[in-house]
């Protein structure tokens, strides 16, 4: 009896002498890797999406940001760094970043942000059942190519010859086929301008001018991002109306764009990361597709190249830059 009393007293003393910090192990703060081609920080909409979900950088989440600064050859090294840091998830923007992350680890969850056709690239088995350690959001949306050409025809009613600037890659084939089908239904003649390297971009514009193209459509790829301002400048130099995919290109001098609302997509990427941090597996999370789109026009650029935008078209734009 005395021995049992002594044991109880000893346990009571130990409970009161152990500090709360010792009694309760601190909760592990999740680390998120962010791998992209350009930029100096994760997209603000992505960060805001995480804040809306209760994440505060430095308090309950830590970021490991890596950028190639336009040098795609650095992807494997940077992806390897993130895997060695044992991050809880890697957000990868663009096909090059996603592929590098996939090659670096078969277990670290990878969340795709802004990739054209993840199935054609071999990144996922299907959108509904991605399998493996990759999920996220795809830019692929069947109606986009047709809608861009429709808007182009509304802006320039007499348009007939349309040049298409694109990168030679497997992921672009779906977009090219969709563009060709849309052009046929709209009775437009396409001029395919395929580039394989940055020094071929100006030559593509030369070809469009020599073939008397009425306008140009750019099929976006991460390859183009470091050279996007040059493309915009060449469009101005050749006074060629260009339809882009992203609002950013119009805000920096491009004529017009129609594409997914990237801010909305980045917020949705944050929601996918949140699910993974809470225990969901990428293989069980379907790859999402865009649901919000935006049409943006730059009137200043239109004036510079001598193009009058019909008032009825301006009324349909989500944003008009004056």
């Amino acid at each position: 009896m005395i021995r049992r009393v002594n044991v109880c007293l000893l346990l009571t003393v130990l409970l009161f002498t152990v500090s709360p910090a010792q009694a309760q192990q601190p909760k592990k703060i999740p680390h998120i890797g962010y791998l992209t081609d350009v930029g100096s920080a994760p997209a603000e909409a992505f960060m805001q999406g995480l804040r809306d979900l209760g994440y505060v950088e430095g308090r309950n989440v830590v970021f490991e940001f890596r950028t190639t600064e336009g040098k795609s050859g650095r992807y494997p090294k940077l992806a390897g760094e993130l895997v060695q840091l044992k991050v809880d998830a890697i957000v990868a923007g663009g096909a090059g970043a996603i592929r590098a992350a996939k090659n670096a680890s078969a277990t670290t969850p990878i969340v795709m942000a802004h990739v054209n056709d993840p199935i054609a690239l071999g990144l996922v088995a299907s959108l509904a059942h991605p399998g493996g350690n990759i999920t996220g959001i795809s830019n692929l949306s069947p109606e986009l190519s047709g809608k861009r050409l429709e808007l182009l025809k509304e802006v320039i009613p007499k348009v007939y010859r349309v040049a298409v600037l694109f990168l030679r890659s497997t992921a672009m084939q779906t977009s090219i086929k969709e563009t060709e089908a849309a052009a046929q239904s709209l009775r437009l003649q396409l001029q395919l301008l395929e580039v394989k390297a940055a020094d071929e971009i100006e030559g593509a514009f030369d070809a469009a001018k020599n073939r008397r193209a009425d306008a140009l459509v750019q099929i976006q790829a991460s390859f183009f991002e470091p050279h996007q301002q040059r493309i915009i400048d060449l469009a101005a130099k050749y006074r060629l109306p260009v339809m882009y995919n992203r609002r950013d290109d119009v805000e920096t001098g491009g004529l017009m764009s129609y594409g997914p609302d990237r801010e909305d997509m980045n917020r949705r990427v944050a929601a996918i990361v949140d699910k993974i941090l809470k225990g969901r597996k990428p293989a069980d999370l379907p790859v999402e597709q865009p649901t919000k789109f935006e049409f943006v026009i730059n009137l200043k650029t239109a004036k510079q190249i001598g193009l009058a935008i019909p008032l009825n078209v301006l009324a349909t734009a989500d944003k008009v830059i004056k």
Side-chain angles (χ1 to χ4, degrees):
M1 182 68 180
I2 293 172
R3 182 177 298 172
R4 283 201 298 271
V5 171
N6 287 339
V7 170
C8 289
L9 287 171
L10 179 60
L11 289 172
T12 302
V13 170
L14 286 172
L15 285 172
F16 279 100
T17 54
V18 173
S19 67
Q22 292 172 315
Q24 185 177 357
Q25 293 296 322
K27 188 176 181 180
K28 179 181 179 292
I29 297 178
H31 283 56
I32 300 173
Y34 198 101
L35 180 62
T36 186
D37 195 23
V38 292
S40 57
E44 176 54 32
F46 169 74
M47 298 294 288
Q48 185 58 53
L50 287 176
R51 286 193 288 269
D52 292 343
L53 292 165
Y55 293 93
V56 179
E57 186 176 4
R59 183 187 300 172
N60 60 357
V61 68
V62 174
F63 289 96
E64 296 291 346
F65 182 75
R66 298 291 187 276
T67 174
T68 67
E69 297 177 346
K71 300 175 182 177
S72 59
R74 298 183 62 203
Y75 273 134
K77 178 178 181 294
L78 298 178
E81 287 180 8
L82 293 175
V83 171
Q84 288 177 359
L85 289 170
K86 301 185 185 302
V87 295
D88 297 281
I90 296 175
V91 177
I98 299 163
R99 190 178 297 283
K102 180 182 181 182
N103 292 340
S105 175
T107 56
T108 303
I110 298 167
V111 180
M112 302 182 294
H114 318 307
V115 63
N116 283 330
D117 192 342
I119 298 174
L121 288 168
L123 299 172
V124 297
S126 72
L127 299 183
H129 304 285
N133 61 323
I134 301 178
T135 188
I137 291 185
S138 166
N139 291 345
L140 190 62
S141 185
E143 70 271 18
L144 282 180
S145 298
K147 186 64 176 178
R148 288 190 184 108
L149 290 179
E150 284 178 17
L151 290 170
L152 194 58
K153 197 164 185 177
E154 288 179 18
V155 171
I156 312 170
K158 293 183 179 180
V159 68
Y160 174 61
R161 292 177 292 270
V162 179
V164 181
L165 178 67
F166 70 103
L167 173 72
R168 175 190 287 182
S169 75
T170 303
M172 295 297 105
Q173 297 310 308
T174 301
S175 296
I176 291 298
K177 289 178 181 178
E178 290 170 357
T179 304
E180 288 176 331
Q184 186 174 5
S185 66
L186 292 168
R187 301 179 183 276
L188 297 175
Q189 183 187 88
L190 291 188
Q191 302 171 354
L192 299 182
L193 304 176
E194 181 182 74
V195 298
K196 303 183 292 294
D199 58 8
E200 296 179 359
I201 294 174
E202 185 160 6
F205 274 87
D206 275 331
K209 197 68 176 178
N210 292 336
R211 297 178 193 175
R212 296 183 296 126
D214 301 309
L216 181 145
V217 172
Q218 180 188 358
I219 296 180
Q220 188 60 38
S222 57
F223 159 82
F224 286 121
E225 292 191 9
H227 316 291
Q228 199 61 36
Q229 190 57 54
R230 185 181 173 204
I231 291 171
I232 292 168
D233 292 342
L234 285 169
K237 174 184 174 182
Y238 287 87
R239 298 173 66 84
L240 190 62
V242 178
M243 170 68 81
Y244 301 93
N245 295 15
R246 310 177 309 173
R247 180 178 68 187
D248 293 355
D249 299 328
V250 183
E251 291 176 340
T252 54
L255 175 64
M256 57 186 168
S257 68
Y258 180 78
D261 183 331
R262 287 211 164 197
E263 291 188 2
D264 177 67
M265 290 178 70
N266 280 316
R267 286 190 291 269
R268 290 166 63 194
V269 168
I272 295 170
V273 170
D274 175 57
K275 291 176 183 178
I276 290 172
L277 295 181
K278 289 177 177 175
R280 298 288 299 276
K281 295 180 179 179
D284 300 329
L285 295 172
V287 175
E288 299 182 17
Q289 291 180 274
T291 56
K292 292 184 178 181
F293 305 90
E294 54 185 0
F295 179 35
V296 184
I297 298 174
N298 189 321
L299 279 182
K300 182 179 178 182
T301 301
K303 184 177 180 180
Q304 287 174 344
I305 65 173
L307 180 66
I309 308 290
L311 292 177
N312 64 309
V313 177
L314 287 174
T316 65
D318 297 285
K319 183 176 181 179
V320 176
I321 299 170
K322 298 178 180 180

